[in-house]
Amino acid sequence: MMKFCCLLTKKYNVPTDVSLNTIMVDGTGMCGACRISVGGKTKFVCVDGPEFDGHQVDFDEMLRRSGAFKTEENETLAAYQAVHGEELTTTAADNDCALSTNIADASTMDTTTPLAELLDRKAAWREAVRKSTTGKERGAIERCVMPELDPVYRATTRVEEVNKGLTVEQALTEAKRCLDCPNPTCMQGCPVNINIPSFIKNIERGEFLNAARVLKATSALPAVCGRVCPQEKQCESQCIHLKMGKPAVAIGNLERFAADFERESGKMALPEVAESNGKKVAVVGSGPSGLSFAGDMAKLGYDVTVFEALHEIGGVLKYGIPEFRLPNKIVDVEIQALEKIGVKFVKDCIIGKTVSVKDLEAQGFAGVFVGSGAGLPNFMGIPGENSNGIMSSNEYLTRVNLMDASDPNHDTPLHRAKSVMVVGGGNTAMDSCRTAKRLGAERVFIAYRRSEQEMPARLEEVKHAKEEGIEFLTLHNPIEYHSDDKGNVTEVVLQKMELGEPDASGRRSPQAIPGATETIAIDQAIVAVGVSPNPIVPTSIEGLELGRKNTIVVNESMQTNIPTIFAGGDIVRGGATVILAMGDGRRAAAAMHDYLSK
């Protein structure tokens, strides 16, 4: 931040002093580790400073020096973890993350400016930021590349994030690429209507906490969305840079940066909450749609209670997404923020079994939002599919992510396989195969009936999987499993495929090549070919209109045929992304508020 402040003040000939006491080591002058170049001459911060003329400091050199021992530190950390076990990985990752993002001083950042001013494109601060750099100069800046863990190392650690997050310098540079369009098309691609240019321009001027405030005005889970949402298919796909033949602004990476910075600063802001209106609403399920709905209703003054069937809050965010993509601590912090604005959570409660919707109505809940997700796994119905060692991706990931089966000190059993096949081509398939690799499998391969071009998984996830040694057998489809006399899977027969004409979804339809099969030895198969809504909740509500595969039918306002019941997310869509589910929750909250206010 100092660097870019000095670049701006130098442009307008404003004298600027900087204090570099944060890079001093012992302050005695004996080590020389704090040496920097000022006006082309070597200076020692602890002896000659710590204050210097900011226009004369070589910040690029200083930042390079700050990472001089990064390789050695990482090697030492890896060796230490190898001796002391995986339980220390999370702490190490937390500390590394804090060092990478909290270089800037949060104590000097503004948190009092009214939100309306932060969102106002015509505000004086916004005009100044926009004029500080020409559009041509912004367009010439290259997109910043997200730092990642080394592929060989990361394939051995299950809870350390692959993406390390943008540094402060990277975030400031990437934010400067945003042109602050008068009609931002990026916002049209965001299901929760985040004011994208406003949060990015706050990052550009170094007001990271205000950037987080802008995000939280519309998103209950910014740190989550910044990690797992397919921005390349949503907000970033609408970026004006693409029309100029250049990469889109890294909106998702910047969203993660702002949310992470706020969390690590210890200065997390809470959204404004209206006075209590005395009305109670219930939420079924604590996944993305339920949490988004709960947050918006709490801000509107409702007494909100979320009912979760499992023993942990978070739904698919906890059981379905591995920690190397989304650490549990990130989800927990977002949930704690909801608790601080009044949302209550009830665990181990299955609506439709433990408690009925009629029971909720009898308890005085004026409205119910169903966001129970799609937790019913699909299988292929082929011979031998019920052999031991063949499980759904839901079961596999839940055992590992939620039940900690990878820890020998926990009771949850999981076969440590040597040769693993994962069936499917979506993000869940990528999560499953990468998890299997981390659990020690010698060979892990994807079997997918279409070509790689048709894979629905994020390009980043495919890239990471390949870097970690996952094999891709595209145009291959399982048709039979073989097992031993104990019922344990030993082989899979794969049908070789070719692509024909496009199907209803627009993807080319796979067709079997007659007589072309391949048999491969495996001792575990993970089936990730989609999920369906669990029927327990929808079928337990008398008179509720249901659609295909027990999805709940809603109108444009996410309202069901029973006026006090709304629904959203996978229970309506049958399967969708985190951000689409959150968008459903927000629309349902606005519509229920309108209905209950009449």
Side-chain angles (χ1 to χ4, degrees):
M1 185 170 66
M2 280 187 181
K3 172 185 175 180
F4 287 95
C5 286
C6 291
L7 288 175
L8 182 60
T9 56
K10 185 176 182 179
K11 181 177 180 180
Y12 295 99
N13 296 315
V14 178
T16 306
D17 289 339
V18 294
S19 180
L20 302 180
N21 55 359
T22 55
I23 71 167
M24 288 193 293
V25 179
D26 62 5
T28 66
M30 63 173 286
C31 67
C34 62
R35 63 187 184 277
I36 58 171
S37 292
V38 180
K41 297 181 179 179
T42 298
K43 301 286 185 179
F44 294 88
V45 173
C46 59
V47 175
D48 302 308
E51 286 76 32
F52 297 94
D53 179 353
H55 297 167
Q56 298 296 313
V57 174
D58 188 339
F59 284 99
D60 291 334
E61 178 191 80
M62 185 183 76
L63 291 168
R64 286 194 298 271
R65 282 184 54 78
S66 69
F69 299 104
K70 195 67 176 177
T71 299
E72 288 80 3
E73 290 169 351
N74 285 338
E75 289 175 351
T76 300
L77 176 61
Y80 187 85
Q81 289 171 332
V83 173
H84 292 278
E86 194 173 281
E87 69 272 13
L88 297 176
T89 304
T90 300
T91 302
D94 292 347
N95 291 339
D96 184 66
C97 187
L99 288 171
S100 68
T101 58
N102 264 335
I103 299 172
D105 185 0
S107 66
T108 64
M109 295 183 185
D110 168 57
T111 56
T112 60
T113 300
L115 184 63
E117 185 176 337
L118 297 180
L119 299 172
D120 185 4
R121 191 175 184 275
K122 296 181 180 179
W125 72 266
R126 188 84 163 259
E127 295 277 4
V129 170
R130 201 159 46 242
K131 292 177 180 178
S132 66
T133 308
T134 67
K136 184 177 181 180
E137 291 171 333
R138 294 180 187 277
I141 301 172
E142 294 185 3
R143 175 169 166 141
C144 292
V145 178
M146 171 72 79
E148 300 175 353
L149 289 179
D150 174 73
V152 175
Y153 166 68
R154 74 189 189 218
T156 66
T157 173
R158 188 179 62 80
V159 297
E160 198 167 348
E161 279 193 90
V162 170
N163 288 333
K164 300 178 68 174
L166 298 178
T167 64
V168 167
E169 183 177 12
Q170 284 182 310
L172 290 167
T173 301
E174 187 62 33
K176 189 171 286 190
R177 296 185 65 231
C178 174
L179 300 176
D180 201 7
C181 304
N183 296 304
T185 53
C186 56
M187 290 181 61
Q188 299 173 17
C190 178
V192 296
N193 299 312
I194 290 172
N195 193 317
I196 294 170
S198 292
F199 98 77
I200 291 180
K201 290 300 105 177
N202 273 288
I203 290 178
E204 183 179 340
R205 67 170 177 153
E207 293 292 351
F208 307 146
L209 297 180
N210 277 337
R213 288 176 61 202
V214 172
L215 285 166
K216 291 163 76 171
T218 51
S219 175
L221 308 169
V224 171
C225 293
R227 285 168 163 81
V228 303
C229 288
Q231 292 93 2
E232 69 277 4
K233 297 179 181 178
Q234 294 172 335
C235 54
E236 292 182 16
S237 72
Q238 304 295 319
C239 180
I240 191 67
H241 278 285
L242 295 177
K243 295 181 179 179
M244 299 184 291
K246 298 178 179 178
V249 173
I251 298 170
N253 293 347
L254 290 172
E255 180 180 16
R256 167 183 168 159
F257 172 84
D260 285 357
F261 185 91
E262 184 197 39
R263 182 184 67 257
E264 293 161 7
S265 73
K267 300 180 66 175
M268 292 191 68
L270 295 177
E272 295 182 6
V273 177
E275 291 187 12
S276 173
N277 57 26
K279 298 177 181 178
K280 294 168 57 179
V281 295
V283 184
V284 182
S286 65
S289 63
L291 295 178
S292 182
F293 174 88
D296 277 13
M297 291 301 275
K299 286 187 285 188
L300 290 168
Y302 289 86
D303 183 344
V304 183
T305 302
V306 179
F307 296 88
E308 170 56 49
L310 298 175
H311 65 286
E312 289 278 352
I313 302 299
V316 70
L317 303 176
K318 279 285 187 73
Y319 74 75
I321 304 178
E323 290 205 73
F324 56 79
R325 276 218 296 142
L326 178 62
N328 286 339
K329 68 180 181 66
I330 301 296
V331 182
D332 289 338
V333 169
E334 306 280 40
I335 291 168
Q336 290 163 11
L338 291 174
E339 289 179 317
K340 289 176 181 177
I341 63 172
V343 177
K344 296 185 284 290
F345 293 95
V346 178
K347 304 174 185 177
D348 300 310
C349 183
I350 305 174
I351 301 300
K353 293 288 186 180
T354 313
V355 178
S356 69
V357 169
K358 285 188 176 181
D359 292 334
L360 296 177
E361 293 171 350
Q363 294 173 25
F365 287 97
V368 177
F369 175 78
V370 181
S372 52
L376 190 68
N378 295 335
F379 283 94
M380 302 177 67
I382 61 178
E385 195 171 30
N386 290 332
S387 301
N388 296 333
I390 301 173
M391 63 182 73
S392 70
S393 55
N394 262 15
E395 177 188 356
Y396 183 72
L397 292 173
T398 298
R399 284 177 177 272
V400 177
N401 298 336
L402 193 65
M403 306 300 291
D404 218 4
S406 62
D407 187 342
N409 296 318
H410 283 71
D411 294 333
T412 306
L414 185 70
H415 173 57
R416 295 300 186 107
K418 294 182 178 181
S419 180
V420 180
M421 176 186 69
V422 177
V423 188
N427 289 329
T428 304
M430 299 304 146
D431 288 341
S432 299
C433 67
R434 296 173 67 196
T435 296
K437 189 72 174 179
R438 284 161 170 76
L439 295 184
E442 297 173 1
R443 183 188 185 189
V444 183
F445 66 93
I446 288 274
Y448 182 59
R449 62 179 184 159
R450 289 183 167 93
S451 71
E452 186 175 322
Q453 286 66 39
E454 281 76 35
M455 277 188 170
R458 296 185 67 184
L459 294 177
E460 180 182 68
E461 300 307 315
V462 174
K463 167 183 172 290
H464 285 165
K466 288 183 175 180
E467 290 173 346
E468 292 164 12
I470 308 301
E471 301 175 41
F472 282 67
L473 289 183
T474 55
L475 294 172
H476 282 72
N477 195 41
I479 57 173
E480 185 179 0
Y481 293 100
H482 298 158
S483 58
D484 61 19
D485 56 0
K486 295 182 179 180
N488 300 316
V489 66
T490 57
E491 293 178 333
V492 60
V493 181
L494 297 170
Q495 172 68 59
K496 296 184 179 181
M497 313 293 287
E498 61 184 359
L499 294 179
E501 297 300 318
D503 60 14
S505 68
R507 292 186 296 174
R508 294 175 65 190
S509 181
Q511 300 173 348
I513 301 175
T517 62
E518 182 177 359
T519 301
I520 298 178
I522 61 171
D523 57 348
Q524 190 173 71
I526 303 164
V527 182
V529 293
V531 290
S532 299
N534 191 308
I536 291 178
V537 176
T539 58
S540 72
I541 304 174
E542 186 177 349
L544 185 66
E545 183 182 354
L546 304 181
R548 183 172 176 267
K549 291 187 177 181
N550 291 312
T551 54
I552 296 177
V553 176
V554 298
N555 60 21
E556 292 182 357
S557 299
M558 314 309 295
Q559 187 177 35
T560 72
N561 64 309
I562 301 175
T564 57
I565 299 179
F566 291 69
D570 289 356
I571 194 66
V572 170
R573 297 175 178 270
T577 62
V578 168
I579 194 69
L580 286 175
M582 290 178 61
D584 288 350
R586 294 208 71 211
R587 281 197 301 280
M592 184 182 286
H593 174 59
D594 182 63
Y595 176 78
L596 296 178
S597 299
K598 293 178 180 177

